[in-house]
Amino acid sequence: MRSTVFSLLLLVPAFVFGQSYKRYERKADRLSIALTEGILDLIPLSERVVRVQWVKAGAREEREFVFERKTATPKFKHIETPSQLRLQMPMLTVVFNKSTGSLDFLNKEGKIFLSEKAGSRKLSPDKINGEACYVAEQSFSSPEDEHLLGLGQFQDGNFNLRNVSRKLTQVNSQIAIPFLYSSRNYGILWHQYGLTYFNPADQEVSLVKDERGAGSAGDVEVTTTSGTQRVSQQQSVYNGKFSLDRDGEYSIMLDLGNMDNRHLVIIDGVAQIDQSNLWLPPSAGKLVHLKAGEHTVQVECKATNTPKFSWKPAEDVTTFRSPHARSLDYVVFSGNDADEIIGSYRELTGPVPMLPLWAFGYWQCRERYTSGTHLVETVKEFRQRNLPLDVIVQDWQYWGKYGWGVPKFDETHYPEPEKFIKELHNLNARFSISVWENIDKKSEIAQEYIQKNLYIPNSPWIDIYNPEAQKTHWDVLNKNLFSLGVDSWWMDATEPENDALAGKTTHFGSGDFYRLTYPLFVSKAVYEGQRETDPSKRVAILTRSAFSGQQRYGTINWSGDIGWNWDTFRRQIVAGLNFNMTGMPYWTTDIGGFFRPGQAQYTDEKYHDILVRWFQWGAFNPIFRMHGYQSETEPWKYGEKVENAMRKMMNLRYRLMPYTYSAAWQVSKKGSTIMRPLVMDFQDDPKAVEQGYEYMFGKSMLIAPVTEAGKREWDVYLPKASGWYDLWTGKSFSGGQKVKADASGDKIPVFVKGGSIIPLGRVMQHTAEHAADSLEIRVYEGADGSFQLYEDEGDNYNYEKGEYTLIPFKWKQATRTLEIGALQGAYVNYLKDRVFRVVLVKEGIGIDTTETPAATTIAYKGKSISIKLSL
């Protein structure tokens, strides 16, 4: 009897999960493995990429949103042994273990870089809104030294995501993208379109409401989809207890169900999660160290929410779980480094189009400008004060009498809008405008949508999944805005706001299956509509949400309606770095925070400190943009000292335009990323990989924003490399050490890697003011280096036809020789003659040195030339 029971126990994993091996079939595009329940397909997508799909009872998600680019199936072969099946590609091998049913992924050297945890592949039957579905779950082994980044943009402050618990939903200030990058040189796209839990914390603690409450903080005005409203801030307190059987690291999760204004979790009297803002995402997770024994927990939240608190022990496992799935589906990307992996991801999901040159200049935004005259006069003031600007933004409510969200100017304050937009253009400024997808159903413009049944039922949101809704929406935007001269789109609340698809029915069916993907289709509608209407203007979309593949639609994301304190500022840095690891290269924040300290902001020197530090960091974001709620955000509103500090950073941003625009070309052509966590360039330096508040801007400049008040020095870790140079002074340092950098009030620590070549242009008031016919070329010696100077027409898509120029620069350290290669390519009115002033950087040659540094002047006429430099 005992023998029989033991034999049955051995069969439990296969019986429970239905994954006993039966047979396999080699097909033209895959290796198809029959299990006792369902089919496990291994599908090569490229030499470095494989897709894993497990389908039960023939159910699968038939719609394909992410992988638009059809690529030829790479060559692959298979090998069967008594214990395993191997699918082999030139750069990647997948091994199926017949006894456990699990998969191992091996690189070209035959080394395992990723493994499924045996027995963790699950498809559990369930229902959502009466429709059959599965709970799809897969766990992967994760060694202790692994660093995991990505998943989008979150406000929980976590940089390394290993063991962190997260709930992937789309809400204001949170962007959920189920793509994960590992320091072990792989990426995973968890290919689900609905709600996903990352490292789900399943040990839920019973919470009891303290009826005495926490009192009321009064009502406040906040921005909502229906305009400015007063929202109650009354809080409730909940208490609970839980016990642990060992000391160790634990992942805790707070889930409040809906947006809130307070994340407060107190364990044993210590605040472990503590964040306040007028808007906060529904959930937050954190890793904490706890001892064995009983623990008390206290949660404070808005009285209208019902909190859940849960935990799980930290372990060497990473888990994805999607409760509303039709099948299990994920994609593994392998490579030698992050650029190669992200490049492979974009190769299959769509390349990043070039943004217009002006998009890399300064964006001036506030909530809000009140008339066309207000916009024009503001730009004039920027010009008079020699404050560079390329874009001015009109936030909401320009629609006035026409109804909420209606994309049409109320003539009361915006008469003849094409005239004020032309004035802006004459001032060499571009015009961006806020548009929404929840157009007032009572408005005249909404009637066409209603007649065509283009709203999601019982929802204020357009059913953007419907191709007719996409066409209609673009036609409305074109007629009322784009045809008047609008240059750029601010697509607000594209989540749609606050997870609004849950429980709804869309053109594709139940919104629960697609609730992460709405922003992808909003961006698609505008990008494709504008390109078809006028391909001479590159699409530039600033949008609050995103999903995998959205990089192909000319989008820029920002971090939503955030607060303004130092803690919030720090959270934006790690949020941006993780977002950029999902293949989305263009990102920004509301410099100074969206919610600000009222009238005090204009005179409070403590706020000026953080505002200037944020502005300095913003100058080294892919997109450089100011914004603020109920605030006059123009630099001069904060006094001469702040204005001068901002002007200094603006001037630096514009001088670096040749460097930044060339880096943008590497994004579009080579799969690169501008805002680069240090793991991208220094993966073999463990200390560098850990840095959550330092990053590379392009591949040459290390940025270390100051994130504390009142600092004049700042500790900076310089990764192991062939030397570093302080951008401001030219002083050199060895790599692999921590240094104290000058952090005087008008400086952000910036270091240039040895072996770098940095082109500098003139100070400009807008990106079209000066042609790049005279550039300073700074050489930072210490190692061989190279740089490609990219130029095109700055707008339109002719670069896709090969109409651009490249000038290659190479620095040879051994001979101290700079080689400037022959000009490659051409476009209309390209520069044939130019002057290069070549400077070999040494101590005393900083970026803002008052004296012009000694230089070798070169008249360049497109032919290769070699220059030997000496100190």
Side-chain angles (χ1 to χ4, degrees), residues 520-544:
L520 178 70
F521 286 86
V522 176
S523 301
K524 177 180 186 289
V526 174
Y527 179 83
E528 293 181 349
Q530 182 180 318
R531 279 207 67 163
E532 183 177 354
T533 301
D534 184 3
S536 71
K537 292 178 73 168
R538 291 182 195 166
V539 183
I541 300 171
L542 178 68
T543 181
R544 202 170 74 186

PDB file of all heavy atoms in Angstrom, residues 520-544:
ATOM      1  N   LEU A 520      -1.744  51.640 -26.939  1.00  0.00           N
ATOM      2  CA  LEU A 520      -1.118  51.217 -28.190  1.00  0.00           C
ATOM      3  C   LEU A 520      -1.973  51.636 -29.378  1.00  0.00           C
ATOM      4  O   LEU A 520      -1.468  52.135 -30.391  1.00  0.00           O
ATOM      5  CB  LEU A 520      -0.922  49.697 -28.172  1.00  0.00           C
ATOM      6  CG  LEU A 520      -0.320  49.058 -29.423  1.00  0.00           C
ATOM      7  CD1 LEU A 520       1.151  49.435 -29.565  1.00  0.00           C
ATOM      8  CD2 LEU A 520      -0.467  47.537 -29.370  1.00  0.00           C
ATOM      9  N   PHE A 521      -3.296  51.472 -29.251  1.00  0.00           N
ATOM     10  CA  PHE A 521      -4.189  51.749 -30.371  1.00  0.00           C
ATOM     11  C   PHE A 521      -4.487  53.238 -30.520  1.00  0.00           C
ATOM     12  O   PHE A 521      -4.723  53.715 -31.635  1.00  0.00           O
ATOM     13  CB  PHE A 521      -5.475  50.930 -30.224  1.00  0.00           C
ATOM     14  CG  PHE A 521      -5.273  49.483 -30.540  1.00  0.00           C
ATOM     15  CD1 PHE A 521      -4.834  48.602 -29.566  1.00  0.00           C
ATOM     16  CD2 PHE A 521      -5.474  49.001 -31.817  1.00  0.00           C
ATOM     17  CE1 PHE A 521      -4.608  47.269 -29.853  1.00  0.00           C
ATOM     18  CE2 PHE A 521      -5.256  47.666 -32.122  1.00  0.00           C
ATOM     19  CZ  PHE A 521      -4.821  46.793 -31.137  1.00  0.00           C
ATOM     20  N   VAL A 522      -4.467  53.981 -29.433  1.00  0.00           N
ATOM     21  CA  VAL A 522      -4.600  55.439 -29.529  1.00  0.00           C
ATOM     22  C   VAL A 522      -3.413  55.994 -30.328  1.00  0.00           C
ATOM     23  O   VAL A 522      -3.579  56.797 -31.252  1.00  0.00           O
ATOM     24  CB  VAL A 522      -4.660  56.091 -28.138  1.00  0.00           C
ATOM     25  CG1 VAL A 522      -4.687  57.611 -28.267  1.00  0.00           C
ATOM     26  CG2 VAL A 522      -5.882  55.618 -27.370  1.00  0.00           C
ATOM     27  N   SER A 523      -2.207  55.548 -29.979  1.00  0.00           N
ATOM     28  CA  SER A 523      -1.013  56.017 -30.671  1.00  0.00           C
ATOM     29  C   SER A 523      -1.021  55.600 -32.138  1.00  0.00           C
ATOM     30  O   SER A 523      -0.640  56.369 -33.025  1.00  0.00           O
ATOM     31  CB  SER A 523       0.240  55.476 -29.972  1.00  0.00           C
ATOM     32  OG  SER A 523       0.282  55.902 -28.629  1.00  0.00           O
ATOM     33  N   LYS A 524      -1.475  54.386 -32.399  1.00  0.00           N
ATOM     34  CA  LYS A 524      -1.565  53.883 -33.775  1.00  0.00           C
ATOM     35  C   LYS A 524      -2.481  54.765 -34.616  1.00  0.00           C
ATOM     36  O   LYS A 524      -2.149  55.126 -35.751  1.00  0.00           O
ATOM     37  CB  LYS A 524      -2.086  52.450 -33.752  1.00  0.00           C
ATOM     38  CG  LYS A 524      -2.306  51.803 -35.117  1.00  0.00           C
ATOM     39  CD  LYS A 524      -2.815  50.373 -34.943  1.00  0.00           C
ATOM     40  CE  LYS A 524      -2.925  49.635 -36.270  1.00  0.00           C
ATOM     41  NZ  LYS A 524      -4.046  50.158 -37.095  1.00  0.00           N
ATOM     42  N   ALA A 525      -3.638  55.120 -34.056  1.00  0.00           N
ATOM     43  CA  ALA A 525      -4.609  55.911 -34.803  1.00  0.00           C
ATOM     44  C   ALA A 525      -4.031  57.254 -35.218  1.00  0.00           C
ATOM     45  O   ALA A 525      -4.189  57.698 -36.371  1.00  0.00           O
ATOM     46  CB  ALA A 525      -5.869  56.117 -33.956  1.00  0.00           C
ATOM     47  N   VAL A 526      -3.342  57.917 -34.297  1.00  0.00           N
ATOM     48  CA  VAL A 526      -2.812  59.251 -34.585  1.00  0.00           C
ATOM     49  C   VAL A 526      -1.580  59.169 -35.483  1.00  0.00           C
ATOM     50  O   VAL A 526      -1.444  59.939 -36.444  1.00  0.00           O
ATOM     51  CB  VAL A 526      -2.496  59.992 -33.269  1.00  0.00           C
ATOM     52  CG1 VAL A 526      -1.799  61.317 -33.548  1.00  0.00           C
ATOM     53  CG2 VAL A 526      -3.781  60.225 -32.485  1.00  0.00           C
ATOM     54  N   TYR A 527      -0.683  58.226 -35.201  1.00  0.00           N
ATOM     55  CA  TYR A 527       0.525  58.095 -36.016  1.00  0.00           C
ATOM     56  C   TYR A 527       0.187  57.791 -37.468  1.00  0.00           C
ATOM     57  O   TYR A 527       0.666  58.462 -38.395  1.00  0.00           O
ATOM     58  CB  TYR A 527       1.409  57.002 -35.431  1.00  0.00           C
ATOM     59  CG  TYR A 527       2.682  56.761 -36.207  1.00  0.00           C
ATOM     60  CD1 TYR A 527       3.800  57.571 -36.004  1.00  0.00           C
ATOM     61  CD2 TYR A 527       2.784  55.732 -37.135  1.00  0.00           C
ATOM     62  CE1 TYR A 527       4.983  57.361 -36.705  1.00  0.00           C
ATOM     63  CE2 TYR A 527       3.957  55.510 -37.843  1.00  0.00           C
ATOM     64  CZ  TYR A 527       5.045  56.322 -37.633  1.00  0.00           C
ATOM     65  OH  TYR A 527       6.210  56.107 -38.342  1.00  0.00           O
ATOM     66  N   GLU A 528      -0.623  56.775 -37.676  1.00  0.00           N
ATOM     67  CA  GLU A 528      -0.951  56.390 -39.047  1.00  0.00           C
ATOM     68  C   GLU A 528      -1.794  57.447 -39.742  1.00  0.00           C
ATOM     69  O   GLU A 528      -1.624  57.708 -40.940  1.00  0.00           O
ATOM     70  CB  GLU A 528      -1.645  55.029 -39.047  1.00  0.00           C
ATOM     71  CG  GLU A 528      -0.724  53.895 -38.603  1.00  0.00           C
ATOM     72  CD  GLU A 528      -1.400  52.536 -38.616  1.00  0.00           C
ATOM     73  OE1 GLU A 528      -2.644  52.486 -38.766  1.00  0.00           O
ATOM     74  OE2 GLU A 528      -0.684  51.524 -38.475  1.00  0.00           O
ATOM     75  N   GLY A 529      -2.693  58.090 -38.980  1.00  0.00           N
ATOM     76  CA  GLY A 529      -3.515  59.145 -39.565  1.00  0.00           C
ATOM     77  C   GLY A 529      -2.684  60.331 -40.016  1.00  0.00           C
ATOM     78  O   GLY A 529      -2.846  60.835 -41.138  1.00  0.00           O
ATOM     79  N   GLN A 530      -1.763  60.786 -39.168  1.00  0.00           N
ATOM     80  CA  GLN A 530      -0.957  61.951 -39.537  1.00  0.00           C
ATOM     81  C   GLN A 530      -0.003  61.631 -40.673  1.00  0.00           C
ATOM     82  O   GLN A 530       0.172  62.429 -41.596  1.00  0.00           O
ATOM     83  CB  GLN A 530      -0.173  62.480 -38.335  1.00  0.00           C
ATOM     84  CG  GLN A 530       0.645  63.729 -38.682  1.00  0.00           C
ATOM     85  CD  GLN A 530       1.428  64.284 -37.517  1.00  0.00           C
ATOM     86  OE1 GLN A 530       0.923  64.359 -36.405  1.00  0.00           O
ATOM     87  NE2 GLN A 530       2.680  64.692 -37.776  1.00  0.00           N
ATOM     88  N   ARG A 531       0.634  60.462 -40.634  1.00  0.00           N
ATOM     89  CA  ARG A 531       1.593  60.116 -41.691  1.00  0.00           C
ATOM     90  C   ARG A 531       0.905  60.045 -43.046  1.00  0.00           C
ATOM     91  O   ARG A 531       1.468  60.469 -44.055  1.00  0.00           O
ATOM     92  CB  ARG A 531       2.289  58.792 -41.390  1.00  0.00           C
ATOM     93  CG  ARG A 531       3.423  58.915 -40.415  1.00  0.00           C
ATOM     94  CD  ARG A 531       4.473  57.827 -40.598  1.00  0.00           C
ATOM     95  NE  ARG A 531       5.205  57.912 -41.857  1.00  0.00           N
ATOM     96  CZ  ARG A 531       6.353  57.288 -42.095  1.00  0.00           C
ATOM     97  NH1 ARG A 531       6.907  56.532 -41.155  1.00  0.00           N
ATOM     98  NH2 ARG A 531       6.966  57.392 -43.260  1.00  0.00           N
ATOM     99  N   GLU A 532      -0.308  59.529 -43.057  1.00  0.00           N
ATOM    100  CA  GLU A 532      -1.039  59.458 -44.326  1.00  0.00           C
ATOM    101  C   GLU A 532      -1.473  60.842 -44.788  1.00  0.00           C
ATOM    102  O   GLU A 532      -1.456  61.147 -45.985  1.00  0.00           O
ATOM    103  CB  GLU A 532      -2.256  58.551 -44.173  1.00  0.00           C
ATOM    104  CG  GLU A 532      -3.028  58.359 -45.456  1.00  0.00           C
ATOM    105  CD  GLU A 532      -4.198  57.402 -45.307  1.00  0.00           C
ATOM    106  OE1 GLU A 532      -4.343  56.788 -44.234  1.00  0.00           O
ATOM    107  OE2 GLU A 532      -4.972  57.280 -46.268  1.00  0.00           O
ATOM    108  N   THR A 533      -1.835  61.709 -43.836  1.00  0.00           N
ATOM    109  CA  THR A 533      -2.313  63.046 -44.182  1.00  0.00           C
ATOM    110  C   THR A 533      -1.189  63.952 -44.643  1.00  0.00           C
ATOM    111  O   THR A 533      -1.320  64.683 -45.632  1.00  0.00           O
ATOM    112  CB  THR A 533      -3.016  63.677 -42.964  1.00  0.00           C
ATOM    113  OG1 THR A 533      -4.105  62.842 -42.571  1.00  0.00           O
ATOM    114  CG2 THR A 533      -3.534  65.073 -43.284  1.00  0.00           C
ATOM    115  N   ASP A 534      -0.058  63.932 -43.924  1.00  0.00           N
ATOM    116  CA  ASP A 534       1.041  64.839 -44.240  1.00  0.00           C
ATOM    117  C   ASP A 534       2.369  64.219 -43.827  1.00  0.00           C
ATOM    118  O   ASP A 534       2.864  64.459 -42.724  1.00  0.00           O
ATOM    119  CB  ASP A 534       0.849  66.185 -43.530  1.00  0.00           C
ATOM    120  CG  ASP A 534       1.916  67.203 -43.906  1.00  0.00           C
ATOM    121  OD1 ASP A 534       2.770  66.890 -44.760  1.00  0.00           O
ATOM    122  OD2 ASP A 534       1.896  68.319 -43.355  1.00  0.00           O
ATOM    123  N   PRO A 535       2.992  63.442 -44.707  1.00  0.00           N
ATOM    124  CA  PRO A 535       4.266  62.796 -44.352  1.00  0.00           C
ATOM    125  C   PRO A 535       5.433  63.770 -44.246  1.00  0.00           C
ATOM    126  O   PRO A 535       6.537  63.362 -43.874  1.00  0.00           O
ATOM    127  CB  PRO A 535       4.477  61.802 -45.494  1.00  0.00           C
ATOM    128  CG  PRO A 535       3.695  62.349 -46.630  1.00  0.00           C
ATOM    129  CD  PRO A 535       2.509  63.033 -46.027  1.00  0.00           C
ATOM    130  N   SER A 536       5.201  65.065 -44.546  1.00  0.00           N
ATOM    131  CA  SER A 536       6.296  66.030 -44.425  1.00  0.00           C
ATOM    132  C   SER A 536       6.521  66.453 -42.977  1.00  0.00           C
ATOM    133  O   SER A 536       7.504  67.136 -42.681  1.00  0.00           O
ATOM    134  CB  SER A 536       6.004  67.271 -45.279  1.00  0.00           C
ATOM    135  OG  SER A 536       4.953  68.043 -44.728  1.00  0.00           O
ATOM    136  N   LYS A 537       5.617  66.060 -42.061  1.00  0.00           N
ATOM    137  CA  LYS A 537       5.766  66.386 -40.641  1.00  0.00           C
ATOM    138  C   LYS A 537       5.880  65.092 -39.851  1.00  0.00           C
ATOM    139  O   LYS A 537       4.965  64.269 -39.859  1.00  0.00           O
ATOM    140  CB  LYS A 537       4.561  67.198 -40.136  1.00  0.00           C
ATOM    141  CG  LYS A 537       4.458  68.584 -40.721  1.00  0.00           C
ATOM    142  CD  LYS A 537       3.220  69.324 -40.215  1.00  0.00           C
ATOM    143  CE  LYS A 537       3.370  69.760 -38.781  1.00  0.00           C
ATOM    144  NZ  LYS A 537       2.303  70.708 -38.377  1.00  0.00           N
ATOM    145  N   ARG A 538       7.016  64.905 -39.185  1.00  0.00           N
ATOM    146  CA  ARG A 538       7.171  63.710 -38.364  1.00  0.00           C
ATOM    147  C   ARG A 538       6.180  63.751 -37.203  1.00  0.00           C
ATOM    148  O   ARG A 538       5.919  64.800 -36.620  1.00  0.00           O
ATOM    149  CB  ARG A 538       8.591  63.612 -37.814  1.00  0.00           C
ATOM    150  CG  ARG A 538       9.639  63.325 -38.871  1.00  0.00           C
ATOM    151  CD  ARG A 538      11.018  63.196 -38.270  1.00  0.00           C
ATOM    152  NE  ARG A 538      12.036  63.279 -39.316  1.00  0.00           N
ATOM    153  CZ  ARG A 538      13.325  63.464 -39.102  1.00  0.00           C
ATOM    154  NH1 ARG A 538      13.774  63.588 -37.857  1.00  0.00           N
ATOM    155  NH2 ARG A 538      14.184  63.532 -40.104  1.00  0.00           N
ATOM    156  N   VAL A 539       5.672  62.592 -36.862  1.00  0.00           N
ATOM    157  CA  VAL A 539       4.726  62.478 -35.751  1.00  0.00           C
ATOM    158  C   VAL A 539       5.486  62.537 -34.438  1.00  0.00           C
ATOM    159  O   VAL A 539       6.519  61.872 -34.262  1.00  0.00           O
ATOM    160  CB  VAL A 539       3.935  61.164 -35.845  1.00  0.00           C
ATOM    161  CG1 VAL A 539       2.898  61.094 -34.726  1.00  0.00           C
ATOM    162  CG2 VAL A 539       3.258  61.038 -37.211  1.00  0.00           C
ATOM    163  N   ALA A 540       4.986  63.348 -33.510  1.00  0.00           N
ATOM    164  CA  ALA A 540       5.541  63.416 -32.157  1.00  0.00           C
ATOM    165  C   ALA A 540       4.362  63.407 -31.182  1.00  0.00           C
ATOM    166  O   ALA A 540       3.611  64.371 -31.104  1.00  0.00           O
ATOM    167  CB  ALA A 540       6.382  64.670 -31.971  1.00  0.00           C
ATOM    168  N   ILE A 541       4.204  62.282 -30.467  1.00  0.00           N
ATOM    169  CA  ILE A 541       3.077  62.086 -29.560  1.00  0.00           C
ATOM    170  C   ILE A 541       3.601  61.984 -28.133  1.00  0.00           C
ATOM    171  O   ILE A 541       4.346  61.061 -27.805  1.00  0.00           O
ATOM    172  CB  ILE A 541       2.301  60.800 -29.907  1.00  0.00           C
ATOM    173  CG1 ILE A 541       1.751  60.852 -31.339  1.00  0.00           C
ATOM    174  CG2 ILE A 541       1.174  60.565 -28.907  1.00  0.00           C
ATOM    175  CD1 ILE A 541       1.161  59.519 -31.811  1.00  0.00           C
ATOM    176  N   LEU A 542       3.219  62.922 -27.293  1.00  0.00           N
ATOM    177  CA  LEU A 542       3.473  62.818 -25.857  1.00  0.00           C
ATOM    178  C   LEU A 542       2.257  62.132 -25.245  1.00  0.00           C
ATOM    179  O   LEU A 542       1.130  62.604 -25.410  1.00  0.00           O
ATOM    180  CB  LEU A 542       3.665  64.207 -25.252  1.00  0.00           C
ATOM    181  CG  LEU A 542       3.893  64.275 -23.739  1.00  0.00           C
ATOM    182  CD1 LEU A 542       5.240  63.672 -23.366  1.00  0.00           C
ATOM    183  CD2 LEU A 542       3.807  65.721 -23.255  1.00  0.00           C
ATOM    184  N   THR A 543       2.460  61.012 -24.570  1.00  0.00           N
ATOM    185  CA  THR A 543       1.318  60.249 -24.078  1.00  0.00           C
ATOM    186  C   THR A 543       1.599  59.677 -22.698  1.00  0.00           C
ATOM    187  O   THR A 543       2.751  59.426 -22.343  1.00  0.00           O
ATOM    188  CB  THR A 543       0.935  59.134 -25.071  1.00  0.00           C
ATOM    189  OG1 THR A 543      -0.199  58.425 -24.589  1.00  0.00           O
ATOM    190  CG2 THR A 543       2.091  58.174 -25.295  1.00  0.00           C
ATOM    191  N   ARG A 544       0.529  59.466 -21.914  1.00  0.00           N
ATOM    192  CA  ARG A 544       0.701  59.098 -20.515  1.00  0.00           C
ATOM    193  C   ARG A 544       0.786  57.593 -20.291  1.00  0.00           C
ATOM    194  O   ARG A 544       1.048  57.146 -19.177  1.00  0.00           O
ATOM    195  CB  ARG A 544      -0.465  59.689 -19.690  1.00  0.00           C
ATOM    196  CG  ARG A 544      -0.132  59.831 -18.214  1.00  0.00           C
ATOM    197  CD  ARG A 544      -1.192  60.622 -17.478  1.00  0.00           C
ATOM    198  NE  ARG A 544      -2.425  59.872 -17.270  1.00  0.00           N
ATOM    199  CZ  ARG A 544      -3.531  60.394 -16.742  1.00  0.00           C
ATOM    200  NH1 ARG A 544      -3.556  61.669 -16.404  1.00  0.00           N
ATOM    201  NH2 ARG A 544      -4.606  59.663 -16.570  1.00  0.00           N
TER     202      ARG A 544
END
